[in-house]
Amino acid sequence: MDPIGKRRWAIAEGYIPPSSTDASYELKSHEAACILNAGDRLAQIEITIFFTDREPAGPYLLTVPPRRTCHLRFDELDNPEPIPVNTPYSSVIESTVPIVVQHTRLDSRQAALALLTTIAYAD
């Protein structure tokens, strides 16, 4: 399959809620980047996190094999540092091959859960 997508993506809105009503992994408040590599080459990805009041964090490095998807939870990123909860941030995702990025947030701070999802901006 021919690759689809772009090599550079931005998610301008980022925020990991500080609490959850449920302690289970599936219902813990989090943000995610769903990354699709539909092509035939390995995607080597760097993520840089930007904040309102400090220098950026990163790069966070990962790979997505050819013809695979990765559902990356931002609350699990810890190298070079964890992304702080209750803190606004933005992210830039750069890849060596074209990919597609979708942004998702699960906010489970109250019993009526909220799920937000959107396609990231591609350059």
Side-chain angles (χ1 to χ4, degrees):
M1 174 179 277
D2 290 335
I4 58 173
K6 299 285 186 177
R7 294 182 53 225
R8 185 178 207 181
W9 294 82
I11 302 171
E13 198 282 331
Y15 177 81
I16 301 172
S19 62
S20 303
T21 58
D22 191 304
S24 70
Y25 178 80
E26 294 82 6
L27 293 178
K28 179 181 176 187
S29 292
H30 67 276
E31 296 235 338
C34 303
I35 301 169
L36 170 64
N37 177 8
D40 293 327
R41 295 180 23 223
L42 180 74
Q44 297 176 1
I45 297 171
E46 290 188 3
I47 302 173
T48 304
I49 304 296
F50 295 85
F51 301 96
T52 59
D53 59 354
R54 58 171 272 206
E55 289 299 308
Y60 297 86
L61 306 175
L62 69 135
T63 58
V64 180
R67 300 173 307 283
R68 297 292 185 268
T69 186
C70 170
H71 291 240
L72 173 76
R73 286 178 57 148
F74 283 88
D75 62 322
E76 294 177 344
L77 293 175
D78 61 2
N79 186 12
E81 64 182 90
I83 296 177
V85 299
N86 201 28
T87 303
Y89 66 88
S90 298
S91 56
V92 172
I93 301 169
E94 297 177 292
S95 175
T96 55
V97 299
I99 58 173
V100 176
V101 177
Q102 180 175 344
H103 168 244
T104 302
R105 176 189 299 148
L106 174 65
D107 188 343
S108 63
R109 290 178 284 183
Q110 56 186 352
L113 305 178
L115 181 67
L116 164 130
T117 188
T118 186
I119 296 295
Y121 170 80
D123 181 27

